[in-house]
Amino acid sequence: MKELLGKVDDPGIIDCSCLLKGKDVIVSSFSKSKRNHETIAKQTFSYIFLNVAKQKTKHNEAHLEIGGQRLSGFLLKPGLVLVCLSDKNLNITKVRSHIQHIKHLILQSEVDKMLA
């Protein structure tokens, strides 16, 4: 799963990323210097998407700016959130497009992991 984050992380688009399953980080490429961003993302996006599920809405994306960076959370399936850290000045459409391109690989990896 860690090698999959290598495909998510793309210089100039995504600096680092992690996968949340429920409230837990299951894999991460956040460096020690960015660990506080990961903690904020974990708390924020698990709360947001838990409430999205309770409200039965179709929101599947949320963003949070911290200093010069943007944390983005993408709900891949119920209980599975991909969190990405990028520059806040980067066009969000680039980030969104990159995640849509890679989403099927993450979901397939999750299925393969369950079958193993």
Side-chain angles (χ1 to χ4, degrees):
M1 191 70 90
K2 182 89 168 171
E3 63 277 352
L4 192 56
L5 290 185
K7 293 181 182 183
V8 173
D9 300 351
D10 188 359
I13 301 177
I14 306 295
D15 295 333
C16 50
S17 58
C18 68
L19 272 174
L20 302 178
K21 194 166 195 170
K23 294 181 180 181
D24 299 317
V25 175
I26 57 173
V27 63
S28 175
S29 66
F30 279 76
S31 65
K32 284 189 181 238
S33 65
K34 301 285 184 185
R35 204 58 64 157
N36 61 332
H37 288 76
E38 181 186 74
T39 301
I40 291 166
K42 179 176 86 167
Q43 294 169 343
T44 303
F45 295 125
S46 61
Y47 176 79
I48 288 170
F49 290 116
L50 175 68
N51 283 300
V52 163
K54 284 181 182 178
Q55 298 296 321
K56 298 181 181 170
T57 65
K58 297 189 187 249
H59 294 89
N60 62 359
E61 183 177 319
H63 306 277
L64 172 67
E65 288 185 16
I66 298 177
Q69 299 191 292
R70 178 190 304 121
L71 284 166
S72 300
F74 297 91
L75 183 64
L76 303 178
K77 68 177 194 175
L80 188 65
V81 177
L82 175 64
V83 173
C84 304
L85 184 68
S86 60
D87 185 277
K88 81 172 186 178
N89 296 318
L90 181 69
N91 185 332
I92 193 66
T93 305
K94 266 190 162 179
V95 174
R96 190 178 290 128
S97 175
H98 179 68
I99 298 308
Q100 288 303 318
H101 177 73
I102 210 92
K103 179 180 176 177
H104 75 280
L105 294 174
I106 296 169
L107 293 174
Q108 184 60 51
S109 176
E110 184 74 7
V111 168
D112 291 347
K113 188 176 156 188
M114 286 190 279
L115 295 174

